[in-house]
Amino acid sequence: MKTILPFALVTAMTAFTASPTAAADTRCYEMRIYHAAPGKLDALNSRFRDHTCKLFEKHGMANIGYWLPMTNTENRLVYLLAYPNRDAREKSWKEFGADPDWQIAAKESEKDGKLVLKAESVFLMATDFSPAIKPSAAREARVFELRTYTASPGNLDNLLARFRDHTLKLFKKHGMTSFGYWTPTEKKDGAGEKLIYLLAHKSQEAAAESFRDFRADADWIAVKKASEDKAGGSLTVQNGVKSEFLVPMDYSPTK
């Protein structure tokens, strides 16, 4: 005999078992890389520490993180901002550039010469499997690893699916902290071809150990083989995985 549950009980069970769906992160992200003039990297960092970060926030830009490459032969500063959308980004930068406080700070800091020789910018959008991207600090010092994957032709979706369904869980299993995952939005930066992400590790040595264990994991070996058999080959181009270690600045909201 079929049992019919009271409506109130069905409603209560549904409310208990349902899990809220996280809102999609539709923000516009921008990774900026500044190449400081010789001998000017400290002055550039001082300007960010004392002026720029505050003025970014004043004009609606979210400071996510600021890092220096561990091997920094080109005097680079790498940082990440977030905006509600691309139009908001353009408005914020226009107002920032016209801000008298910024103009004074820039003029004073550059009285002995320009601080930045070259600025690069990559616009990004968060993947649907990225953890919530927000400034965060750990109790212990940690290093970050910026990894860029270039997918083989037609395989970006397959690569993203492998990360979504398997890779992130295996990273966590082997002690790696996923900070954020993005894809570029402009063709010149690899839209439709690249995945860019940030991991956090206790140290560079810990990262090497984690990846060694990850690559030897039977689950990863099986997943990698299955995904490549399905795609008819590697999901990335030859030499298509790049890695760079970064250390957070003292003024970075993410450490």
Side-chain angles (χ1 to χ4, degrees):
M1 183 175 179
K2 185 177 181 181
T3 302
I4 301 176
L5 296 175
F7 176 77
L9 180 56
V10 174
T11 302
M13 290 174 64
T14 303
F16 180 78
T17 57
S19 59
T21 301
D25 186 349
T26 60
R27 288 178 293 174
C28 169
Y29 288 89
E30 184 179 12
M31 183 170 290
R32 296 177 64 85
I33 302 97
Y34 284 4
H35 297 249
K40 298 292 187 180
L41 185 57
D42 287 346
L44 178 61
N45 280 312
S46 292
R47 189 168 73 185
F48 270 93
R49 181 184 300 110
D50 299 335
H51 305 285
T52 313
C53 290
K54 301 183 187 77
L55 290 169
F56 280 171
E57 292 287 349
K58 174 183 176 181
H59 293 290
M61 306 184 228
N63 293 297
I64 303 296
Y66 292 80
W67 300 268
L68 294 184
M70 292 184 75
T71 302
N72 200 12
T73 57
E74 297 179 315
N75 293 322
R76 287 176 295 148
L77 169 67
V78 179
Y79 67 99
L80 185 67
L81 300 175
Y83 321 90
N85 51 55
R86 186 66 177 268
D87 288 342
R89 185 265 181 200
E90 303 305 326
K91 181 175 183 292
S92 291
W93 275 95
K94 183 177 180 180
E95 293 174 351
F96 167 80
D99 190 312
D101 290 338
W102 163 246
Q103 292 175 353
I104 291 170
K107 183 177 180 180
E108 176 64 22
S109 65
E110 295 181 345
K111 60 186 178 182
D112 295 322
K114 289 279 187 182
L115 302 189
V116 178
L117 295 180
K118 182 173 69 172
E120 302 170 67
S121 174
V122 179
F123 290 102
L124 305 164
M125 62 179 178
T127 66
D128 62 356
F129 56 81
S130 180
I133 299 167
K134 57 185 179 181
S136 64
R139 291 182 180 180
E140 299 178 351
R142 55 184 179 170
V143 300
F144 289 78
E145 185 180 6
L146 178 63
R147 295 177 66 86
T148 302
Y149 287 18
T150 301
S152 51
N155 273 323
L156 181 61
D157 286 346
N158 291 327
L159 179 64
L160 296 178
R162 189 169 73 187
F163 269 85
R164 181 187 301 110
D165 299 335
H166 304 285
T167 311
L168 265 70
K169 300 183 187 77
L170 290 168
F171 279 172
K172 184 177 181 180
K173 174 182 176 181
H174 293 289
M176 297 181 261
T177 300
S178 292
F179 181 79
Y181 293 79
W182 302 267
T183 54
T185 61
E186 298 189 359
K187 189 66 177 176
K188 67 179 182 63
D189 299 318
E193 300 173 350
K194 290 186 178 182
L195 169 66
I196 297 172
Y197 65 99
L198 273 169
L199 296 175
H201 309 276
K202 291 181 180 179
S203 65
Q204 193 170 359
E205 293 73 24
E209 182 178 351
S210 290
F211 266 107
R212 183 169 59 249
D213 293 344
F214 165 81
R215 294 186 182 107
D217 190 306
D219 289 339
W220 165 246
I221 293 169
V223 163
K224 182 175 185 290
K225 182 178 187 306
S227 64
E228 293 182 348
D229 287 348
K230 180 181 177 181
S234 174
L235 302 190
T236 57
V237 298
Q238 188 174 5
N239 300 318
V241 176
K242 305 297 182 185
S243 168
E244 182 171 41
F245 283 92
L246 311 171
V247 290
M249 297 304 304
D250 62 293
Y251 58 85
S252 175
T254 294
K255 296 184 179 67

